[in-house]
Amino acid sequence: MRWKVCLQVGVLTVALAVPGIVVAPSVGYAQTQSKERRDDRQGDRQGARDTRQEGRQEARTQKAECKAGDEKTRSECRQESRDTKQDARGEAREVKK
């Protein structure tokens, strides 16, 4: 009698588990190259971020050197820093294209 109960529980377990496994989404591949294009864009964005970050760091260094020297005013040093950052942004736009 006990083996009948175990058999029924086993069959019930299998009956409930199989549809869940069959219905569960399987790993597949897209039929388009959208994933590849997305990965390419992601790489381009990272390159643009790196370019802007380098430009910011260069602007900081340039501004500190400018302030250390006595030949330019603070506003001229600040403008040079802004110009350097703007140039880096332009380069970053070119990287993304």
Side-chain angles (χ1 to χ4, degrees):
M1 183 74 171
R2 190 159 197 230
W3 64 272
K4 284 185 179 181
V5 172
C6 289
L7 181 63
Q8 288 176 345
V9 169
V11 170
L12 182 62
T13 304
V14 170
L16 293 175
V18 170
I21 293 171
V22 172
V23 173
S26 61
V27 176
Y29 297 97
Q31 295 178 357
T32 63
Q33 290 80 25
S34 63
K35 171 98 171 93
E36 293 172 9
R37 288 194 305 265
R38 184 172 53 241
D39 291 342
D40 290 342
R41 287 191 311 267
Q42 192 173 24
D44 292 344
R45 285 192 304 266
Q46 185 61 46
R49 278 188 212 110
D50 292 342
T51 301
R52 286 192 302 270
Q53 184 61 36
E54 290 169 6
R56 283 187 216 111
Q57 189 60 39
E58 183 182 335
R60 285 185 198 111
T61 305
Q62 186 179 23
K63 186 176 179 182
E65 290 173 358
C66 182
K67 287 167 79 175
D70 292 334
E71 59 270 357
K72 293 186 180 178
T73 64
R74 286 187 66 211
S75 63
E76 290 172 337
C77 293
R78 203 168 41 241
Q79 188 59 46
E80 279 186 19
S81 177
R82 288 179 185 153
D83 291 342
T84 303
K85 287 181 187 178
Q86 189 62 33
D87 291 342
R89 289 183 201 114
E91 292 172 15
R93 281 186 218 103
E94 292 299 319
V95 168
K96 284 175 72 172
K97 288 183 180 180

